[in-house]
């Protein structure tokens, strides 16, 4: 019996985007990525039993996705972010994996506000303009996320926003007028004009000077924990945006960490990640889910006293699950013509007759790998 | 595609003196320009000039990393010393001119492996 040529057995798929940028992929290609994403057994377990489980229980948690370059971190993060921030049937019905699609019910009415950012390129080229991880999180994470959600100006994220708001909403009319006069005297512009031209941050700087001079201390959330909790409460306000929780996804942490490797910087960054992943959920009961992707392992300071209680490790393509790569590639680049499955098995039988090292195949695994060499099975 | 940051700066909605505000305006304009002009389905090279604005205002290179892919290459070109020696001599003593500031800023931001110094290569 003659065997059919491979081109008759397989159906080539469109070339995927191999180097997606997380933020762009999340904003512009989420539907396609959800539709084409390959859930291996390992990844299915991470999604279903680890992450969805935490969300279903309403307990905030940190997750640390560790993988080498090219292992699919960005695809993983894009699909995860999309599914957790949009639980509509329209999106979830696109998922190819039946088990994951079924997990939809467990998430109930979860509606997480997605703050998705990549730290790649966020470090400054010199120390003069260096920003902290919190600065980047607020400016490159929260701010664009609010704009994308149509909430720009409705949620105050920086201390500068709060200083200006405090003056406008809580200060006495006399104090407010005095502060306006101070700004006018220093800039020869009205507060509105100055803010429009120079921004909220510059105006808050001037107001801070005024407060010092007038010996006034506005009640502003200053610590990392207070600031993030303050943002969370605005986003989950039932009379406002009414999200049920917050999803913070940070890609490319390794590069950032290498550029901020002094003990002080490491401590400061660890404090922010610990606040997001541990303190806000445990101390304040906030539903904050933090996913950090890095090529390196979880920093010691974030391991916690009990392994993984700050961040649950989710390694991709390492040791026990390194064969996932074969599965992903085989399934992502081609499909099997369903009418040709018998011929696929025939092809494998031929391999097995000629190569003694071929194991007894599992039918699903054979069709999952053809036409890759049988040795990969 | 050519992208001159100085031309881009002319389109900003104002001329603030606050560094933060300039950086914010520039970053926003840069993101919009790249999104409007780049077709991610085509192979393209983006040559960026006027990069001294990046170092002057401490702009992160994230907008460029966001568009760079297997199809899009971004080249950040640093012109030979943008401040000539004659002009530098007119500055007061307390001002130190660092002609390599832009180059060093970009080199630190992208790393040595992604940096080509044509003067070093020529030697």
């Amino acid at each position: 019996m003659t065997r059919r040529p491979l081109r008759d057995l397989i159906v080539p798929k469109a070339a995927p985007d191999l180097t997606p940028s997380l933020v762009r992929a999340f904003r512009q290609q989420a539907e396609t990525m959800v539709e084409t994403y390959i859930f291996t057994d390992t990844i299915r377990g991470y999604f279903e039993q680890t992450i969805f489980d935490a969300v279903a229980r309403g307990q905030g948690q940190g997750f640390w996705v560790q993988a080498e370059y090219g292992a699919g971190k960005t695809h993983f993060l894009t699909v995860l972010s999309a599914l957790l921030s949009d639980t509509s049937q329209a999106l979830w019905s696109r998922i190819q994996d039946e088990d994951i699609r079924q997990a939809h019910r467990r998430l109930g009415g979860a509606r997480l506000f997605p703050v998705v950012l990549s730290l790649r390129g966020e470090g400054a080229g010199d120390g003069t303009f260096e920003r902290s991880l919190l600065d980047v999180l607020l400016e490159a994470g929260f701010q664009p996320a609010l704009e994308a959600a149509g909430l720009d100006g409705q949620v105050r994220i920086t201390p500068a926003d709060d200083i200006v708001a405090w003056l406008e909403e809580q200060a006495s009319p006399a104090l407010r007028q005095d502060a306006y006069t101070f700004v006018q005297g220093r800039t020869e512009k009205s507060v509105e004009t100055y803010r429009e031209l120079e921004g909220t941050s510059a105006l808050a700087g001037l107001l801070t000077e005024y407060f010092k001079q007038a010996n006034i201390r506005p009640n502003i959330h200053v610590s990392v924990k207070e600031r993030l909790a303050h943002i969370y409460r605005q986003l989950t306000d039932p009379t406002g945006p009414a999200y049920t929780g917050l999803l913070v996804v940070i890609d490319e942490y390794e590069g950032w960490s290498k550029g901020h490797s002094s003990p002080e910087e490491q401590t400061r960054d660890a404090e922010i990640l610990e606040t997001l992943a541990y303190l806000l959920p445990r101390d304040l009961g906030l539903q904050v889910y933090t996913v950090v992707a890095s090529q390196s392992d979880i920093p010691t300071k974030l391991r916690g006293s009990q392994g993984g209680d700050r961040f649950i490790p989710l390694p991709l393509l390492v040791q026990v699950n390194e064969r996932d790569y074969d599965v992903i590639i085989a399934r992502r680049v081609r499909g099997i013509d369903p009418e040709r499955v018998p011929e696929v098995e025939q092809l494998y039988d031929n391999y097995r007759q000629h190569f003694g090292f071929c194991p007894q195949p599992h039918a699903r695994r054979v069709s999952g790998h053809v036409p890759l060499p049988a040795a990969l099975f | 595609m050519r992208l001159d940051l100085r031309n881009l700066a002319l389109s900003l909605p104002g001329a603030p003196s606050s560094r933060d505000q300039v950086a914010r305006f520039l970053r926003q304009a840069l993101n919009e320009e790249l999104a409007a002009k780049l077709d991610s389905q085509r192979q393209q090279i983006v040559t960026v000039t006027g990069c001294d604005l990046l170092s002057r205002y401490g702009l992160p290179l994230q907008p460029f990393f966001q568009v760079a892919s297997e199809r899009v290459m971004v080249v950040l070109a640093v012109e030979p010393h943008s401040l000539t020696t004659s002009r530098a001599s007119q500055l007061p003593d307390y001002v130190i001119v660092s002609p390599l500031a832009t180059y060093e800023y970009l080199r630190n931001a992208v790393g040595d492996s992604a940096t080509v110094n044509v003067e070093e290569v020529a030697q």
Side-chain angles (χ1 to χ4, degrees):
Chain A
M1 183 190 292
T2 56
R3 290 184 305 280
R4 278 191 174 273
L6 288 175
R7 64 172 175 273
D8 290 349
L9 306 182
I10 62 174
V11 182
K13 292 183 178 175
D17 188 354
L18 297 176
T19 52
S21 159
L22 175 62
V23 179
R24 275 170 65 114
F26 173 65
R27 300 245 183 273
Q28 298 169 11
Q29 301 165 284
E31 290 184 352
T32 310
M33 282 209 178
V34 165
E35 194 162 17
T36 56
Y37 194 66
I38 308 296
F39 288 89
T40 63
D41 292 344
T42 311
I43 293 172
R44 187 183 302 109
Y46 289 163
F47 270 67
E48 204 185 358
Q49 292 159 25
T50 309
I51 304 169
F52 291 171
D53 185 58
V55 176
R57 283 185 286 113
Q59 291 182 350
Q61 176 65 53
F63 305 95
W64 193 275
V65 180
Q66 186 198 351
E68 291 297 324
Y69 178 79
K73 287 191 296 292
T74 305
H75 279 85
F76 181 96
L77 297 180
T78 303
V79 172
L80 179 65
S81 307
L83 294 180
L84 288 180
S85 60
D86 178 1
T87 49
S88 69
Q89 271 297 344
L91 180 70
W92 278 68
S93 62
R94 290 172 174 264
I95 302 169
Q96 300 287 322
D97 190 284
E98 179 65 24
D99 293 340
I100 294 292
R101 221 172 30 239
Q102 291 298 326
H104 185 224
R105 282 175 299 188
R106 293 175 59 204
L107 297 181
R111 181 169 167 259
L112 304 183
F113 181 77
V115 176
V116 177
L117 76 155
S118 168
L119 294 176
R120 195 159 187 221
E122 286 294 356
D126 63 40
T128 315
F129 303 114
E130 201 53 76
R131 298 174 302 160
S132 71
L133 182 58
L134 182 63
D135 292 335
V136 175
L137 182 63
L138 298 183
E139 292 168 18
F142 277 95
Q143 184 57 43
L146 290 172
E147 288 166 12
L151 294 171
D152 190 21
Q154 296 177 49
V155 175
R156 298 194 299 271
I157 55 173
T158 64
D161 293 334
D162 281 337
I163 287 171
V164 174
W166 182 88
L167 185 71
E168 289 171 351
E169 296 166 11
Q170 296 183 46
S172 68
L175 177 67
R176 193 179 310 132
Q177 189 51 52
D178 204 26
Y180 286 178
T181 306
F182 177 86
V183 172
Q184 177 88 37
R186 291 288 294 270
T187 66
E188 297 181 350
K189 293 181 179 67
S190 71
V191 166
E192 292 78 19
T193 308
Y194 184 73
R195 185 180 187 179
E196 195 175 324
L197 179 63
E198 301 292 349
T200 303
S201 179
L203 175 60
L206 273 182
L207 292 176
T208 303
E209 273 187 51
Y210 165 75
F211 292 146
K212 256 187 204 161
Q213 194 176 296
N215 207 18
I216 295 166
R217 293 186 67 180
N219 184 20
I220 303 296
H221 302 285
V222 287
S223 75
V224 172
K225 188 175 171 184
E226 286 174 343
R227 175 125 309 273
L228 292 170
H230 172 59
I231 296 169
Y232 177 93
R233 291 193 181 103
Q234 295 175 78
L235 287 167
T236 55
D237 181 354
T239 63
Y243 286 92
T244 59
L246 179 62
L247 173 69
V248 179
V249 178
I250 300 173
D251 197 7
E252 303 284 358
Y253 185 74
E254 163 100 347
W256 171 272
S257 183
K258 278 185 177 164
H260 300 79
S261 54
S262 73
E264 296 78 20
E265 289 171 320
Q266 298 264 316
T267 302
R268 195 179 57 184
D269 290 351
E271 183 197 351
I272 292 163
L273 295 182
E274 183 181 38
T275 302
L276 282 167
Y278 188 74
L279 299 180
L280 294 178
R282 297 299 183 276
D283 292 359
L284 303 178
L286 306 187
Q287 291 190 43
V288 180
Y289 303 91
T290 307
V291 187
V292 178
S294 175
Q295 290 176 43
S296 53
D297 200 357
I298 305 172
T300 312
K301 285 176 183 169
L302 293 174
R303 285 187 181 279
S305 55
Q306 300 162 35
D309 64 356
R310 261 61 172 168
F311 281 90
I312 295 175
L314 305 176
L316 296 180
L317 302 188
V318 293
Q319 296 167 343
V320 291
N321 57 26
E322 62 188 351
R323 301 296 293 272
D324 281 6
Y325 189 75
D326 307 340
V327 178
I328 292 169
I329 295 300
R331 287 166 58 189
R332 185 63 187 85
V333 300
R334 97 292 176 267
I336 296 285
D337 184 341
E339 293 182 6
R340 300 297 180 203
V341 171
E343 280 108 323
V344 168
E345 285 164 7
Q346 183 192 17
L347 182 79
Y348 182 77
D349 281 341
N350 179 63
Y351 278 137
R352 200 157 52 85
Q353 284 167 17
H354 289 84
F355 303 101
F357 56 80
C358 287
Q360 190 64 35
H362 183 287
R364 187 174 163 188
R365 295 185 74 185
V366 172
S367 58
H369 286 75
V370 165
L372 295 183
L376 289 174
F377 295 176
Chain B
M1 169 187 167
R2 288 185 180 276
L3 174 59
D4 184 66
L5 297 181
R6 290 178 172 277
N7 277 340
L8 188 68
L10 293 175
S11 69
L12 298 186
S17 56
S18 153
R19 188 200 66 81
D20 283 352
Q21 186 77 334
V22 176
R24 200 168 70 82
F25 280 166
L26 263 177
R27 185 170 179 160
Q28 194 174 349
L30 189 52
N31 278 326
E32 286 169 6
E33 183 77 1
L34 290 170
K37 298 278 174 65
L38 276 179
D39 176 356
S40 60
Q41 298 308 307
R42 288 175 48 213
Q43 285 203 335
Q44 280 178 286
I45 297 176
V46 185
T47 307
V48 185
T49 52
C51 290
D52 50 324
L53 289 183
L54 299 174
S55 56
R56 165 66 182 83
Y57 292 102
L59 223 65
L61 302 189
Q62 195 271 346
F64 300 112
F65 278 111
Q66 189 165 300
V67 296
S69 68
E70 74 261 34
R71 294 194 185 92
V72 177
M73 173 193 267
V74 178
V75 178
L76 301 166
V78 182
E79 298 87 347
H81 310 169
S82 53
L83 190 62
T84 63
T85 312
S86 59
R87 280 180 62 200
S89 65
Q90 297 165 11
L91 296 169
D93 290 342
Y94 56 82
V95 177
I96 299 170
V97 175
S98 175
L100 291 177
T102 301
Y103 172 73
E104 292 296 339
Y105 182 88
L106 297 179
R107 192 167 67 100
N108 285 335
V110 301
D112 284 338
S113 58
T115 307
V116 178
N117 183 330
V118 289
E119 290 180 7
E120 285 175 5
V121 170
Q123 285 172 3

